[in-house]
């Protein structure tokens, strides 16, 4: 067997084409948004438009919630499950947190802990439906999602809760080096830690094995049900974190805004685009992160170009469909080969 | 009737790191059954996949009836009259027998709606030809593996293709179904069809085949004729050496220790009043027909099926396992019969598959996988069972069937498992004759190390020649017990048919 060149090997990495597209998109966006095409000096690329402090900060803030969610959703997908209630869970968590923060004298840390406690219950509930009652994860979590959405509105009769200025908002808005939100760094740390867990620990291995073949994993002494429980709980906690990060940035908890923004859909697209198999058993979170950056830079670029926001939604939908199609075709091919194996 | 033929000229095929086939030439003629024989990984399945367009050869040509063909998908091959029965089933488990048989080709009435009546009657006709106790409306997933395999065979039978290739069709079958299959093959042969037949069971090859093409390491060795050859010559040609009398040469364990396993009137929904005693160093054989309840006994011991009555005693203490994990911790290992659905994670590497049950023993601070120890464990298994692979990182789906089976044996006999009781359910399924001998010796060695081994096999000679004590199972009951010295195929079979 001949040795492949380093370049070839790099290109065979599933994330490689994504990184390339991301870099190209980034450069195009930087050029278009900074007015270089209208005669501004080339150096403006790095200081104006997309790269301006405000825009960069807003951009990073806007993807924090997706990054949190990508941890839970990504690992659930790898284990052969899915959680479609993540956005509504985030929404409900936010409402609970905001209510506690505004209406009780509890310190903000305690409010966060209580919210996380509620999230853990939501994760257990999903697991109960999926593992004990054996509902397909897809159906169980869609059902739960409408319940959570209803609860969100019921809590405040549909009104928003504004978070009063205080240590919570101040901490949530801390910047590192002037442009990078602390929350972004926290989210990044979560992705890296979870990726480490996935690839290096025996728990991570059992996530892959559960997704690869649940029955076989069980017969080999692993505990797929416990894996699924832990993953649903992680997913719910990450949703709550994402929601609370969102509120720290916006300053107002609304029962509908997260749901309307549908960050979970972007995250599912990004996960698939980033190489997580829709049928479970394969993938990694770094790919999801790159895909999240890609999708959001794309959105930013279309905004700069003044494209109708509806088209942006359309473009994202098209990308998801494309990613799914590619994933599906290659999976099908692999599965077919597998079926033919002897 | 025109003469049918299938000819291969100079076929070559490479996979990353493996030369699977190299300059293969032979011709199969209508009205004859041609066997393909070779060790695990010799390239038999790859060859069949090239013939039916599932893979494309790197070099060479395939000729059907003297004309060159170039298929790009298996559907092309089906249209051109080539059907292959893969060993791994490709059925739709939630569909009925008739829907599975006619999938892709359902009979329609003049409104374009599926003609259920015709579908049912055609299916019934095929079932009658086979003489099997199933009905067109049975859900396939509910049938036992042997009957599922027969459905796979019926699918090809229904298409009435002039060229049919069987890839280890009998691996999940028992004698009853094998007899039916041979009746069908003889009929197809009389009709002048070209038949290719892959199997590791030499007695079948002598019974049903006319010519034998021997492959070794992807190369054509020679063609022998069943009339003029014998087992010894076949094995020497395929393994490259004489392996002698497998059973007589076994170095067995003769000393049994204390009782480690006791089943007392054990009941689950599938088995009734099972009494078995196993001592250290003893090999217990479970003989019976498919569906007799042998696998179900294994599942009860391993904590898979719920125990509804009686006692399970391990090392003198009554145990109640809730999950296989509990059973593994108590020193029990089960190598399952269905490697594809219950055993392997096909998309993961050899290393990952082997370390599964002992992963928590291969860690730093209980949490982080010790990749070096894991690698050593996998390499140990690759050596012990001579698994043909360029590396332990190869994913399972790229291994040949027999090598996949060796991976699963490697998993359950690894040195990190503290096994006291090892249950092997059809351990030699799809394994070539040469390796089989080694596996038998391996089983005996495990017994020498003090393990109590429970051996389940549909190959009767295997059970009665390796096990020290043989239990005949029928309908979920034990119908007889016999020592190896007294066991013959006839008396064990008679007991296994008793009610
Ligand atoms: N898709 C694949 N990718 C890489 N290697 C493959 C692939 N399919 C088969 N091989 C390799 O090709 C060789 C021949 O495999 P093949 O399945 O044809 O063997 P076989 O003769 O059918 O063996 P067995 O008796 O075990 O079924 C093996 O070394 C196998 O690992
Ligand atoms: Mg094969």
């Amino acid at each position: 067997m001949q040795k492949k060149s380093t370049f070839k090997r790099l290109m065979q990495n599933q994330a490689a084409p994504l990184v390339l597209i991301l870099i190209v998109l980034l450069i195009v966006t930087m050029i278009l948004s900074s007015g270089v095409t209208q005669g501004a000096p080339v150096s403006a690329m790095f200081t104006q438009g997309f790269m301006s402090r405000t825009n960069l900060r807003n951009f990073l803030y806007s993807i924090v919630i997706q990054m949190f969610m990508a941890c839970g959703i990504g690992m659930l997908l790898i284990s052969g499950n899915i959680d479609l209630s993540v956005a509504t869970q985030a929404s409900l968590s936010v409402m609970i947190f905001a209510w506690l923060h505004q209406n009780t004298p509890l310190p903000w840390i305690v409010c966060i802990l209580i919210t996380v406690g509620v999230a853990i219950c939501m994760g257990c509930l999903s697991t109960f439906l999926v593992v004990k009652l054996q509902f397909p994860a897809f159906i169980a979590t869609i059902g739960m999602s409408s319940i959570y959405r209803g609860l969100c509105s019921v809590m405040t009769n549909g009104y928003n809760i504004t978070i009063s200025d205080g240590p919570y908002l101040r901490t949530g808005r801390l910047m590192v080096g002037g442009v990078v939100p602390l929350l972004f760094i926290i989210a990044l740390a979560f992705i890296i830690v979870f990726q480490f867990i996935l690839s290096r620990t025996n728990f991570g291995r059992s996530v892959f094995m559960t997704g690869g073949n649940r029955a076989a994993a069980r017969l080999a002494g692993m505990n797929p049900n416990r894996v699924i429980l832990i993953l649903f709980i992680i997913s719910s906690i990450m949703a709550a974190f994402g929601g609370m990060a969102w509120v720290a940035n916006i300053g107002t908890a609304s029962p509908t805004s997260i749901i309307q923004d549908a960050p979970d859909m972007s995250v599912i697209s990004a996960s698939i685009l980033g190489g997580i198999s829709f049928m479970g058993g394969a993938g990694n979170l770094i790919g999801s992160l790159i895909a999240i950056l890609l999708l959001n830079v794309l959105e930013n670029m279309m905004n700069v170009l003044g494209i109708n926001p509806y088209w942006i939604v359309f473009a994202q939908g098209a990308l998801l469909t494309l990613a799914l199609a590619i994933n599906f075709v290659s999976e099908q091919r692999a599965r077919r080969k597998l079926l033919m194996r002897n | 009737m025109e003469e049918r033929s299938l000819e291969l000229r100079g076929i070559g095929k490479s996979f990353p790191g493996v030369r699977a086939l190299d300059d293969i030439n032979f011709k199969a003629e209508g009205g004859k059954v041609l066997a393909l024989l070779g060790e695990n990984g010799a390239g038999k399945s790859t060859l069949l996949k090239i013939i039916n367009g599932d893979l494309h050869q790197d070099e060479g040509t395939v000729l059907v009836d003297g004309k060159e063909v170039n298929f790009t998908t298996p559907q092309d091959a089906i249209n051109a009259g080539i059907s292959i029965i893969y060993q791994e089933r490709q059925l739709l488990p939630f569909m009925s027998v008739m829907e599975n048989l006619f999938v892709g080709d359902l009979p329609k009435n003049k409104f374009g709606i599926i003609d259920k009546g015709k579908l049912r009657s055609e299916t019934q006709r095929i079932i009658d030809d086979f003489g099997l106790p199933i009905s067109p409306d049975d859900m396939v997933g509910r049938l036992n593996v042997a009957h599922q395999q027969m459905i796979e065979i019926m699918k090809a039978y229904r298409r009435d293709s002039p060229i049919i290739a069987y890839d280890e069709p009998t691996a999940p079958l028992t004698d009853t179904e094998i007899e039916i299959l041979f009746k069908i093959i003889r009929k197809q042969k009389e009709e002048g069809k070209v038949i290719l037949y892959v199997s590791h069971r030499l007695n079948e090859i002598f019974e049903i085949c006319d010519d034998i093409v021997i492959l070794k390491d992807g190369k054509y060795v020679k063609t022998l004729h069943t009339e003029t050859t014998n087992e010894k010559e076949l094995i020497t040609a395929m393994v490259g050496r004489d392996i002698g009398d497998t059973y007589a040469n076994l170095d067995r364990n003769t000393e049994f220790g204390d009782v480690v396993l006791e089943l007392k009137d054990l009941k689950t929904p599938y088995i009734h009043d099972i009494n078995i005693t196993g001592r250290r160093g003893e090999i217990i054989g479970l003989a019976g027909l498919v569906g007799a309840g042998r696998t179900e006994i294994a599942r009860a011991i391993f904590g898979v099926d719920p125990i509804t009555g009686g006692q399970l005693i391990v090392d003198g203490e009554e145990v109640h396992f809730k999950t296989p994990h509990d059973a593994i911790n108590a020193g029990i290992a089960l190598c399952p019969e269905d490697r594809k659905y219950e055993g392997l994670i096909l998309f993961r590497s050899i290393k990952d598959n082997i370390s599964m049950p002992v992963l928590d023993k291969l860690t730093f601070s209980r949490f982080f996988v010790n990749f070096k120890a894991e690698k050593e464990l996998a390499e140990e298994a690759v050596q012990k069972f001579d698994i043909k692979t360029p590396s332990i990182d190869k994913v399972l789906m790229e291994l040949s069937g027999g090598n996949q089976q060796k991976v699963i044996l490697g998993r359950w006999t690894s040195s990190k498992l503290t096994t006291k009781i090892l249950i092997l359910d059809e351990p030699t399924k799809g394994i070539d004759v040469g390796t089989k001998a080694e596996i038998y010796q391996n089983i005996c060695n495990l017994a020498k190390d003090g393990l109590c081994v429970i051996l389940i096999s549909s190959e009767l000679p295997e059970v009665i020649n390796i096990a020290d004590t043989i239990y005949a199972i029928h309908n979920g009951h034990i119908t007889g017990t016999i020592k190896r010295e007294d066991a013959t195929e006839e008396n064990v079979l008679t007991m296994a048919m008793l009610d």
Side-chain angles (χ1 to χ4, degrees):
Chain A
M1 193 174 28
Q2 74 267 39
K3 260 246 168 310
K4 291 187 190 107
S5 71
T6 321
F7 177 73
K8 250 198 177 148
R9 254 183 308 153
L10 272 182
M11 285 313 295
Q12 275 175 352
N13 189 323
Q14 214 181 350
L18 284 183
V19 174
L20 282 186
I21 301 176
L22 175 61
I23 292 173
V24 172
L25 274 181
L26 206 56
I27 293 175
V28 172
T29 314
M30 279 161 66
I31 293 177
L32 288 177
S33 64
S34 60
V36 172
T37 45
Q38 274 115 36
V42 176
S43 63
M45 247 174 84
F46 301 99
T47 52
Q48 302 294 310
F50 183 78
M51 291 302 275
S52 73
R53 272 171 175 251
T54 7
N55 189 66
L56 204 55
R57 182 189 300 167
N58 287 342
F59 175 76
L60 294 179
Y61 259 126
S62 70
I63 63 174
V64 165
I65 184 169
Q66 295 183 15
M67 288 166 69
F68 274 113
M69 289 178 172
C71 300
I73 289 181
M75 290 197 290
L76 271 174
L77 283 172
I78 292 175
S79 77
N81 286 282
I82 194 168
D83 191 345
L84 293 174
S85 64
V86 174
T88 52
Q89 288 187 25
S91 208
L92 184 59
S93 303
V94 161
M95 295 313 287
I96 291 170
F97 170 77
W99 189 87
L100 289 170
H101 190 271
Q102 295 310 112
N103 299 320
T104 64
L106 295 170
W108 59 281
I109 297 268
V110 177
C111 298
I112 291 183
L113 290 180
I114 296 176
T115 311
V116 167
V118 176
I120 292 176
C121 296
M122 294 196 274
C124 293
L125 201 57
S126 311
T127 315
F128 175 74
L129 295 177
V130 172
V131 170
K132 280 276 173 301
L133 303 187
Q134 311 231 326
F135 286 174
F138 180 80
I139 293 176
T141 55
I142 279 199
M144 290 317 294
S145 117
S146 46
I147 294 178
Y148 297 145
R149 186 186 313 152
L151 282 178
C152 283
S153 305
V154 168
M155 265 189 70
T156 61
N157 264 326
Y159 291 116
N160 296 351
I161 305 177
T162 304
I163 307 278
S164 52
D165 202 12
Y168 179 68
L169 289 190
R170 258 177 277 136
T171 318
R173 290 172 182 179
L174 280 180
M175 289 288 160
V176 177
V179 276
V180 184
L182 175 68
L183 289 173
F184 174 82
I185 293 182
I186 296 177
L188 191 64
F190 268 110
I191 291 188
I192 293 171
V193 168
F194 279 124
Q195 177 56 40
F196 183 82
I197 291 177
L198 271 180
S199 58
R200 297 280 155 144
T201 66
N202 51 1
F203 174 75
R205 185 67 67 72
S206 55
V207 173
F208 283 106
M209 295 314 198
T210 301
N213 185 343
R214 200 153 141 185
R218 187 172 131 82
L219 285 178
M222 296 186 150
N223 193 339
N225 290 350
R226 204 190 61 190
V227 169
I228 294 170
L229 171 69
I230 294 174
L231 292 184
F232 269 117
I233 290 177
I234 290 176
S235 169
S236 298
I237 295 178
M238 288 298 114
F241 279 176
M244 289 187 285
W246 163 288
V247 143
N249 178 32
I250 309 262
T252 314
S254 131
T256 54
S257 65
I258 294 181
I259 299 172
Q260 271 164 7
D261 192 64
D264 53 339
M265 286 304 132
S266 311
V267 170
I268 293 176
S269 317
S271 307
I272 305 294
L273 209 57
I276 292 180
S277 156
F278 202 69
M279 316 217 184
N284 69 79
L285 297 178
I286 306 299
S288 315
L289 173 65
I290 295 169
I292 286 176
L293 288 169
L294 195 154
L295 288 177
N296 286 279
V297 170
L298 181 72
E299 185 178 339
N300 219 287
M301 186 184 86
M302 295 174 81
N303 277 325
V304 170
L305 290 175
I307 294 171
N308 184 328
Y310 292 119
W311 281 111
I312 299 179
V313 177
F314 173 86
Q316 285 181 335
L319 248 172
L320 170 60
T321 314
L322 189 72
L324 275 174
I326 293 172
N327 191 274
F328 185 73
V329 170
S330 59
E331 287 269 338
Q332 280 297 305
R333 215 186 276 146
R335 298 261 151 171
R336 210 197 58 197
K337 280 212 186 117
L338 186 155
L339 285 169
M340 305 281 180
R341 279 232 59 74
N342 166 23
Chain B
M1 191 166 50
E2 69 178 304
E3 263 305 296
R4 293 291 187 170
S5 75
L6 173 74
E7 191 178 349
L8 304 178
R9 285 196 193 146
I11 298 286
K13 173 86 194 168
S14 296
F15 293 111
V18 190
R19 183 82 178 139
L21 291 172
D22 189 30
D23 192 26
I24 304 288
N25 295 287
F26 67 82
K27 184 170 181 185
E29 280 157 9
K32 279 191 174 174
V33 183
L34 180 84
L36 290 179
L37 189 65
E39 290 175 286
N40 296 128
K44 306 174 296 289
S45 300
T46 307
L47 194 62
L48 296 190
K49 282 182 214 158
I50 287 173
I51 293 172
N52 91 326
D54 191 29
L55 287 174
H56 205 272
Q57 68 269 32
D58 300 337
E59 304 102 40
T61 44
V62 179
L63 295 97
V64 171
D65 302 341
K67 284 188 286 291
E68 184 177 340
V69 290
N70 256 312
F71 304 131
T72 45
T73 66
Q75 194 57 43
D76 293 348
I78 289 177
N79 295 342
I82 299 180
S83 284
I84 294 206
I85 291 98
Y86 293 95
Q87 180 190 356
E88 303 292 353
R89 303 174 297 282
Q90 316 163 53
L91 301 166
L92 308 166
F94 298 109
M95 295 276 187
S96 64
V97 169
M98 55 188 188
E99 285 159 327
N100 266 284
L101 279 190
F102 283 84
V103 63
D105 191 19
L106 292 160
K108 308 236 167 71
N109 63 19
K110 61 178 183 287
F111 303 112
I113 294 169
I114 296 166
D115 186 344
K116 281 258 173 169
K118 183 150 172 241
L119 183 60
R120 190 169 287 116
S121 62
E122 297 259 308
T123 306
Q124 190 60 55
R125 191 180 53 77
I126 297 171
I127 293 175
D128 291 344
D129 282 358
F130 276 68
L132 281 172
I134 50 180
S135 120
D137 292 291
D138 287 344
M139 191 165 87
V140 164
R142 293 261 168 81
L143 301 177
N144 64 41
V145 284
H147 285 158
Q148 290 187 9
Q149 175 72 1
M150 294 307 278
I151 305 283
E152 199 65 74
I153 293 165
M154 288 179 185
K155 263 163 72 178
Y157 176 80
R158 172 191 73 81
R159 287 194 210 111
D160 201 24
S161 313
I163 299 176
I164 303 179
Y166 294 90
D167 196 353
E168 296 186 44
T170 55
L173 302 184
T174 43
D175 292 344
T176 331
E177 292 91 16
I178 294 177
E179 223 168 88
I180 297 175
L181 171 66
F182 285 179
K183 193 184 78 191
I184 297 287
I185 293 181
R186 286 200 187 92
K187 181 169 164 228
Q188 291 169 332
K189 180 175 151 178
E190 267 162 38
E191 291 165 354
K193 298 189 156 118
V194 178
I195 297 168
L196 298 184
Y197 189 88
V198 176
S199 176
H200 289 294
R201 300 184 182 170
L202 299 184
N203 56 343
E204 291 176 2
I205 289 182
F206 280 103
E207 183 173 348
I208 196 81
C209 300
D210 301 289
D211 303 318
I212 306 158
V213 166
I214 302 208
L215 301 177
K216 185 167 170 56
D217 296 332
K219 295 196 183 65
Y220 170 87
V221 179
K222 59 166 109 169
T223 305
L224 296 168
H225 308 284
T226 17
E227 307 258 281
T228 56
T229 187
N230 56 42
E231 258 189 43
K232 211 170 152 194
E233 189 184 13
L234 276 186
I235 294 173
T236 313
M238 107 187 217
V239 187
R241 68 197 147 85
D242 184 3
I243 58 166
D245 185 337
T246 326
Y247 298 122
N249 294 344
L250 279 181
D251 177 13
R252 301 173 193 272
N253 177 43
T254 44
E255 281 175 37
F256 303 145
D258 325 329
V259 171
V260 276
L261 177 72
E262 262 181 288
L263 313 189
K264 283 194 183 154
D265 296 326
L266 199 71
K267 288 190 201 66
T268 74
Y270 316 102
I271 54 176
H272 318 283
D273 305 320
I274 299 294
N275 288 291
I276 293 177
T277 315
R279 289 164 291 172
R280 283 181 204 284
E282 186 179 24
I283 303 176
I284 293 173
L286 303 185
L289 308 177
V290 163
R294 297 165 305 168
T295 296
E296 285 69 18
I297 294 177
R299 290 168 65 91
I301 301 174
F302 200 54
V304 186
D305 290 344
I307 290 172
T308 51
Q311 285 177 302
L312 174 59
I313 300 167
V314 175
D315 253 348
E317 271 176 52
E318 186 173 356
V319 289
H320 302 274
F321 302 136
K322 287 199 197 66
T323 61
H325 186 78
D326 298 342
I328 292 171
N329 283 341
I332 300 179
L334 167 68
C335 177
E337 112 188 275
D338 193 325
R339 63 170 174 257
K340 185 173 151 195
Y341 293 104
E342 304 194 314
L344 300 169
I345 317 270
L346 286 161
F347 284 105
R348 303 294 299 190
S349 66
I350 297 180
K351 168 177 72 67
D352 292 1
N353 271 282
I354 287 178
S355 65
M356 276 172 89
V358 292
L359 203 57
D360 33 359
K361 297 198 183 98
L362 302 171
T363 49
F364 302 119
S365 33
R366 289 192 54 233
F367 199 56
F368 303 105
V369 180
N370 179 347
F371 290 115
K372 188 159 162 278
E374 194 188 18
K375 182 165 166 254
E376 282 165 10
L377 190 78
E379 272 162 1
E380 178 192 307
V382 166
Q383 270 211 320
K384 182 154 72 178
F385 292 106
D386 190 22
I387 299 173
K388 277 215 180 85
T389 174
S391 107
I392 54 166
D393 292 315
K394 194 152 164 140
V395 291
L396 265 269
M397 61 171 291
E398 290 178 355
L399 290 187
S400 82
N403 283 303
Q404 292 181 353
Q405 183 66 30
K406 294 182 195 172
V407 169
I408 213 173
L409 280 172
R411 176 198 289 167
W412 291 112
T413 55
S414 88
S415 57
K416 281 281 184 299
L417 273 171
T418 43
T419 312
K420 290 180 246 170
I421 299 157
L422 173 65
I423 312 171
L424 299 169
D425 198 350
E426 307 284 359
T428 59
K429 197 186 211 175
I431 298 243
D432 66 55
V433 264
T435 316
K436 255 186 199 169
E438 282 162 34
I439 288 177
Y440 297 154
Q441 186 55 56
N442 251 303
I443 296 175
C444 291
N445 293 347
L446 290 168
K448 284 189 165 188
D449 292 343
L451 263 68
C452 170
V453 181
I454 300 182
L455 174 69
I456 302 174
S457 172
S458 297
E459 283 185 64
L460 205 47
E462 205 168 274
V463 185
I464 61 177
N465 284 299
I466 296 174
D468 302 304
T469 317
I470 298 134
Y471 291 83
I473 317 286
H474 182 75
N475 259 338
H477 293 273
I478 293 180
T479 48
T481 312
I482 197 165
K483 294 264 164 256
R484 180 178 60 242
E485 300 79 61
D486 311 322
T488 62
E489 289 197 35
E490 288 72 37
N491 60 20
V492 173
L493 205 58
T494 321
M495 289 193 299
M497 311 265 242
L498 281 179
D499 273 302

